[in-house]
């Protein structure tokens, strides 16, 4: 399971508030009720990452310590990695099983690898014009591998456990300096007919293969959109926080559950070593069942729980969220 501690953009942290007792309780639920044995702790604040990682380790979970830089320059990313590597090694020295994830989709989510001011602009620049796409991807691969070589060298000075990177396939990562091969792998309608075969090909790598970043939202048709699942959300132009949906989208928790169950089944039967559902809960996308359907941001949330506003749930009366159907689907797959 992937667990969000808060994304940092322009000094603002997406998850507020952040209480240690809530973090530990949620991780306990991930272990005991979802039957997970590993958790990917993501976020942009090193203190929060370390707090959550310690709580997970105390519960006996394998920890994937995953700093998630957003809109940073390469030197800033290296600084974040070095800070987090010290913290991850401290945890590993205490006996925890820790894998360090040296970033997620760096080329799209940060500066210095692709032209463009936003992730959408960067992807558009890479994919068009079509006649130059292959060359553009080769150039990106060269830039990425130069940076990742430097990043792994920095991390290994301070952290002595296994290292990976959560990649997009078009980044063309050279996996030589890494211990685990990791892909952000999202199924869309365009690739659904060949998705299983693609996974089968990826696991031929001699190193263990992990899959991260896979998930979908709880509106009808979301699973067909793949990585474009959040395009239905309108954001505040200044704060970049989600405001409402750009149309009326029918709630489809069963569709989200089926999508996750199918992908987990594929990963398990095709020999993927580790798979991390994205995401447990997504801050800023509250469930608003009683008003305008366009205000119900949870329909677009990839979280497997729906975040409540100002009140607690019924299934877990101590938590301000309620499980979706996807929660039960994940639990059912791994319950022994």
């Amino acid at each position: 399971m992937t667990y969000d501690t808060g994304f940092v953009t322009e000094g603002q942290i997406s998850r507020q508030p952040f209480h240690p007792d809530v973090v530990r309780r949620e991780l306990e639920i991930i272990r005991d009720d979802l039957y997970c044995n590993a958790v990917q702790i993501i976020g942009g604040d090193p203190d929060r990452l370390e707090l959550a990682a310690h709580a997970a380790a105390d519960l006996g979970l394998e920890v994937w310590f995953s700093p998630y830089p957003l809109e940073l320059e390469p030197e800033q990313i290296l600084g974040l990695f070095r800070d987090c590597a010290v913290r991850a090694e401290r945890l590993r020295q205490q006996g925890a099983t820790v894998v360090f994830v040296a970033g997620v989709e760096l080329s799209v989510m940060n500066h210095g690898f692709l032209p463009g001011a936003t992730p959408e602009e960067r992807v558009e620049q890479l994919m068009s014009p079509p006649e130059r796409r292959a060359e553009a991807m080769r150039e990106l691969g060269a830039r990425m591998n130069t940076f990742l070589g430097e990043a792994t060298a920095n991390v290994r000075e301070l952290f002595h456990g296994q290292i990976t990177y959560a990649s997009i396939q078009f980044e063309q990562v050279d996996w030589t300096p890494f211990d685990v091969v990791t892909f952000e792998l999202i199924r869309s309608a365009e690739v659904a007919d060949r998705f299983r075969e693609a996974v089968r090909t990826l696991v031929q790598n001699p190193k263990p293969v992990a899959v991260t970043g896979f998930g979908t939202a709880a509106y009808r048709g979301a699973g067909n959109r793949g990585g474009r699942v959040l395009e239905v959300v309108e954001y505040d132009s200044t704060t970049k926080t989600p405001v409402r949906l750009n149309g009326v989208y029918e709630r489809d928790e069963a569709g989200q559950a089926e999508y996750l169950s199918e992908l987990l089944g594929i990963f398990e039967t095709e020999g993927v070593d580790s798979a991390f559902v994205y995401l447990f809960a997504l801050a800023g996308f509250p469930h608003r069942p009683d008003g305008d359907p366009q205000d119900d941001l949870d329909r677009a949330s990839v979280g497997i729980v729906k975040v409540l506003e100002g009140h607690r749930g019924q299934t877990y009366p101590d938590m301000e969220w309620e499980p979706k159907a996807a929660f039960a689907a994940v639990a059912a797959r791994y319950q022994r």
Side-chain angles (χ1 to χ4, degrees):
M1 182 58 60
T2 301
Y3 185 80
D4 168 35
T5 62
F7 298 100
V8 178
T9 50
E10 299 181 358
Q12 302 298 312
I13 304 182
S14 62
R15 179 176 174 177
Q16 298 292 352
F18 185 79
H19 295 306
D21 54 340
V22 171
V23 171
R24 183 178 178 88
R25 174 68 175 131
E26 289 177 336
L27 290 167
E28 189 177 68
I29 291 168
I30 287 170
R31 181 195 65 179
D32 295 344
D33 296 357
L34 290 173
Y35 308 101
C36 296
N37 57 13
V39 62
Q40 182 188 22
I41 308 290
I42 65 170
D45 180 87
D47 289 335
R48 289 187 173 195
L49 286 167
E50 185 175 20
L51 185 151
H54 272 278
D58 287 346
L59 291 167
L61 291 163
E62 178 175 302
V63 175
W64 286 44
F65 199 111
S66 184
Y68 200 126
L70 290 173
E71 302 299 345
L72 299 184
E73 299 292 340
E75 284 303 315
Q76 294 174 302
I77 296 171
L78 290 178
L80 175 63
F81 286 175
R82 290 185 66 87
D83 184 342
C84 288
V86 171
R87 299 166 188 262
E89 177 62 14
R90 192 155 55 216
L91 182 60
R92 195 189 70 84
Q93 290 283 355
Q94 294 171 6
T97 301
V98 184
V99 177
F100 190 93
V101 184
V104 181
E105 300 184 345
L106 291 175
S107 67
V108 170
M109 307 308 293
N110 294 276
H111 303 291
F113 304 102
L114 288 168
T118 66
E120 293 77 18
E121 289 181 10
R122 292 168 198 137
V123 172
E124 183 178 356
Q125 290 280 345
L126 180 66
M127 295 302 176
S128 60
E131 63 272 13
R132 196 182 172 277
R133 189 175 300 165
E135 181 183 356
M137 287 186 180
R138 284 194 297 271
E139 292 172 354
L140 172 62
R143 286 192 294 273
M144 286 298 302
N145 287 314
T146 296
F147 175 80
L148 290 171
E150 185 177 1
T152 53
N154 272 260
V155 171
R156 288 199 188 278
E157 287 180 12
L158 303 165
F159 175 76
H160 306 297
Q162 291 191 316
I163 301 176
T164 190
Y165 166 64
S167 70
I168 314 171
Q169 284 180 275
F170 63 60
E171 291 174 322
Q172 301 184 30
V173 172
D174 174 6
W175 294 105
T176 302
F178 295 99
D179 302 294
V180 181
V181 174
T182 301
F183 294 100
E184 298 270 290
L185 207 58
I186 306 170
R187 190 185 70 182
S188 65
E190 291 83 358
V191 301
D193 61 338
R194 55 190 185 276
F195 187 82
R196 179 182 288 274
E197 184 61 34
V199 174
R200 188 175 299 159
T201 300
L202 292 176
V203 299
Q204 299 307 308
N205 196 294
K207 295 181 178 181
V209 172
V211 178
T212 54
F214 68 95
T216 196
Y219 63 86
R220 189 165 301 282
N224 292 329
R225 290 175 175 258
R228 299 178 289 108
V229 70
L230 289 176
E231 288 181 356
V232 303
V233 181
E234 294 178 356
Y235 296 87
D236 184 279
S237 59
T238 303
T239 65
K240 309 302 181 185
T241 55
V243 177
R244 69 199 309 260
L245 306 183
N246 62 16
V248 176
Y249 297 88
E250 181 183 352
R251 174 172 286 276
D252 185 17
E253 290 191 26
Q256 181 190 31
E258 182 179 8
Y259 179 96
L260 286 176
S261 184
E262 287 178 359
L263 263 61
L264 287 168
I266 291 171
F267 299 148
E268 186 173 355
T269 57
E270 295 301 333
V272 170
D273 182 80
S274 303
F276 296 89
V277 173
Y278 189 87
L279 180 72
F280 183 72
L282 185 59
F285 286 73
H287 179 44
R288 296 164 176 160
D290 301 322
D292 187 334
Q294 289 183 248
D295 293 330
D296 185 14
L297 284 163
D298 175 70
R299 299 185 190 203
S301 169
V302 293
I304 66 168
V305 304
K306 43 197 169 194
V307 176
L308 307 176
E309 286 188 304
H311 64 97
R312 296 183 176 182
Q314 296 181 350
T315 307
Y316 297 94
D318 55 341
M319 295 287 101
E320 292 188 356
W321 48 257
E322 190 68 23
K324 296 183 191 176
F327 184 103
V330 172
R333 174 155 291 277
Y334 296 109
Q335 186 173 10
R336 295 292 185 260

